[in-house]
Amino acid sequence: MALFDLLPPLVGGLVVTVSVAVPAAAIGVLLAFAAGLARATSSLMLRSLVRGYVAVFRGTSALVQLFWVYFALPLVGVELDAMTAAITVLALNTGAYGAEVVRGAVEAVPRTQGEAARALGFSPRLTLWRIVLPQALPATLPPLGNLLIELLKNTALVSLVTLSDLTFQARVLRDDTLRTGEIFSLVLVMYFAIALCITAGVRVLERRLAAARGSHGRAGF
Amino acid sequence: MDEPVFDWSYTWEIAPRLLDGLVVTVQATVLATVIATLLGLVLAIGRRSRQRIVAWFVAVVVEFIRSTPLLVQLYFLFFVLPSVGVVLSPLQTGAIGLGVHYAAYMSEVYRAGIESVPRQQWEGAVALGFSRRRTWLSIVLPQAIPPVIPALGNYVVALFKETPLLSAITVVELMQVAQIEGSRSFRYLEAFTLVGVMFLALSTISAAGVRILELRLARS
């Protein structure tokens, strides 16, 4: 088994995959919270804007969005390099799915909590930060973890807009060596390993959050 | 600017060709849906196998398929199948890849349905001397499947939206036609926008269809 000579180019691809996935994940999660919370505001315009964004990005696939941004947008004068286009599209895509997760979690916080906060003289902002978000956050974690795995899987699409990520390197290596079975098996295992890391990371975060809430509870009451 | 940014007459000119591509997209969707719904059920039943090793193996396979990119799985099938002597058309290969990928998702849906069947139903079947096969077919599945049909429907919509990936393994579906038209005229804006609109329209309509089905089922 000479798998080791296949590793260096694949690891190079892995670096590109990670450097697309990490910023896209960070921006995507921020967008998810921004959009999810915006749907709970009283501004009708903001709500419809977010609803439109979510509908468009959930109604088409990431590949269609990526091709549109990379190939079609330059024709109306917006030219993004492949890396920027990839991160933008994957972040917007994750944000749209995440917005629904955040909205669901926020709606699951009993309305009386907000009313009680108002009765105690909390400002809307303080209510959001101190009352609503801390209670909504734990419920968002498992589905957001799943979305991060979907994001990881979607990074493979960037190979179709010239970025030399893990999938792209696999194809190049296949054309060079024709060791198809080995290469693609190895690459699938590499993706699986990252997905397992994401799952483990989210689980640690969940436990931390549960522990933090527990100690706050004791300190507070 | 002499040329319009978005050329409507050109859009009408390529629309029929894109519709031809859409036909292939729909074929792939139907074929993959059949594979996904059947194989998904098999996987879900496999996870309940009394043989621990079988149940464990199925669980790992499902997790593996769900956590790795469909595109890489498609390449795997597309390049590896011919080298082991299985020669299929790109469309067939694509539909199998898509079907297997979504079978993994659907197996989890079926599993939830199966788990919601009360234990007593199993016990009752045993008490009545039903074989395991008959228990599955006439007691468990008829109760497990109907409630999860809307969730399965949502995955069919998701599967449909992922068909553009088949263009990467040379299937001439909607996305591939748009790319061909775009590279011919250097006008990607119209073709890709039309593709986006078609997907948005069809997936919104089918998602609404699933919602209606859900409400109907909830009422009955």
Side-chain angles (χ1 to χ4, degrees):
Chain A
M1 285 288 272
L3 279 178
F4 288 110
D5 55 315
L6 294 173
L7 271 178
L10 291 182
V11 168
L14 189 63
V15 172
V16 176
T17 293
V18 171
S19 52
V20 172
V22 170
I27 301 168
V29 169
L30 285 179
L31 259 174
F33 276 93
L37 292 175
R39 288 208 54 178
T41 60
S42 52
S43 157
L44 182 66
M45 208 184 82
L46 196 60
R47 273 194 324 228
S48 355
L49 208 69
V50 171
R51 190 179 288 188
Y53 154 62
V54 171
V56 167
F57 278 85
R58 283 172 37 124
T60 56
S61 70
L63 184 65
V64 175
Q65 293 154 20
L66 185 60
F67 275 21
W68 199 83
V69 167
Y70 188 68
F71 293 107
L73 264 193
L75 298 165
V76 291
V78 183
E79 220 154 315
L80 301 175
D81 62 87
M83 191 74 170
T84 318
I87 292 172
T88 309
V89 166
L90 293 177
L92 283 168
N93 194 277
T94 308
Y97 282 93
E100 293 295 287
V101 171
V102 172
R103 184 171 71 107
V106 168
E107 278 173 3
V109 175
R111 191 160 276 224
T112 44
Q113 293 284 325
E115 286 162 7
R118 206 178 317 143
L120 289 169
F122 278 40
S123 68
R125 194 199 191 127
L126 204 59
T127 308
L128 178 67
W129 282 107
R130 281 302 180 77
I131 309 293
V132 177
L133 270 185
Q135 293 186 68
L137 207 55
T140 64
L141 276 183
L144 283 184
N146 284 341
L147 283 183
L148 290 186
I149 292 177
E150 293 299 320
L151 167 64
L152 168 71
K153 288 161 60 185
N154 274 336
T155 59
L157 305 180
V158 307
S159 65
L160 301 173
V161 293
T162 73
L163 282 181
S164 46
D165 74 323
L166 186 51
T167 305
F168 184 90
Q169 293 292 7
R171 287 225 45 188
V172 171
L173 212 54
R174 188 210 90 91
D175 293 343
D176 288 349
T177 64
L178 294 177
R179 288 158 64 186
T180 310
E182 285 165 72
I183 295 168
F184 285 114
S185 306
L186 191 59
V187 166
L188 285 170
V189 169
M190 286 166 88
Y191 276 111
F192 189 50
I194 310 178
L196 288 180
C197 293
I198 295 174
T199 311
V202 170
R203 214 162 279 163
V204 168
L205 213 59
E206 266 177 79
R207 221 170 297 144
R208 285 254 173 96
L209 209 61
R213 276 173 61 82
S215 65
H216 272 304
R218 272 192 294 280
F221 295 101
Chain B
M1 232 207 293
D2 302 311
E3 255 185 273
V5 174
F6 194 98
D7 189 339
W8 283 102
S9 64
Y10 171 70
T11 309
W12 290 122
E13 190 191 314
I14 59 169
R17 268 164 281 167
L18 288 177
L19 285 177
D20 287 342
L22 186 62
V23 171
V24 178
T25 293
V26 171
Q27 283 173 343
T29 305
V30 171
L31 203 55
T33 299
V34 171
I35 295 170
T37 44
L38 295 179
L39 182 62
L41 185 58
V42 171
L43 290 173
I45 294 172
R47 276 198 80 160
R48 297 281 296 219
S49 169
R50 276 174 302 185
Q51 240 94 50
R52 279 273 173 76
I53 183 90
V54 174
W56 178 84
F57 182 73
V58 172
V60 172
V61 168
V62 165
E63 203 51 41
F64 189 85
I65 296 174
R66 289 198 331 149
S67 313
T68 51
L70 175 59
L71 180 61
V72 182
Q73 293 169 6
L74 288 174
Y75 283 146
F76 185 92
L77 291 177
F78 187 65
F79 292 120
V80 174
L81 284 184
S83 70
V84 295
V86 182
V87 182
L88 298 171
S89 73
L91 178 62
Q92 288 166 335
T93 310
I96 291 173
L98 204 54
V100 170
H101 195 80
Y102 277 90
Y105 282 95
M106 285 187 181
S107 79
E108 294 289 289
V109 174
Y110 284 120
R111 189 161 74 109
I114 292 166
E115 277 170 7
S116 73
V117 175
R119 269 183 78 96
Q120 291 82 354
Q121 297 285 325
W122 288 91
E123 290 162 3
V126 172
L128 289 170
F130 277 34
S131 69
R132 198 160 158 87
R133 183 199 166 99
R134 189 151 168 230
T135 308
W136 272 112
L137 289 180
S138 49
I139 307 285
V140 178
L141 293 183
Q143 295 181 73
I145 294 178
V148 299
I149 290 174
L152 294 176
N154 285 332
Y155 277 120
V156 174
V157 179
L159 178 157
F160 162 69
K161 283 185 293 182
E162 291 232 64
T163 53
L165 275 182
L166 303 196
S167 64
I169 56 164
T170 73
V171 178
V172 190
E173 45 63 72
L174 185 51
M175 194 76 204
Q176 182 84 316
V177 174
Q179 264 175 289
I180 294 167
E181 291 301 329
S183 61
R184 192 181 287 163
S185 62
F186 294 106
R187 297 203 60 101
Y188 285 100
L189 184 62
E190 289 83 356
F192 284 166
T193 304
L194 215 52
V195 170
V197 169
M198 283 178 181
F199 270 103
L200 188 59
L202 287 172
S203 65
T204 309
I205 292 167
S206 20
V210 173
R211 286 277 311 162
I212 291 169
L213 194 71
E214 204 173 353
L215 292 175
R216 282 255 174 93
L217 280 170
R219 219 180 299 149
S220 65

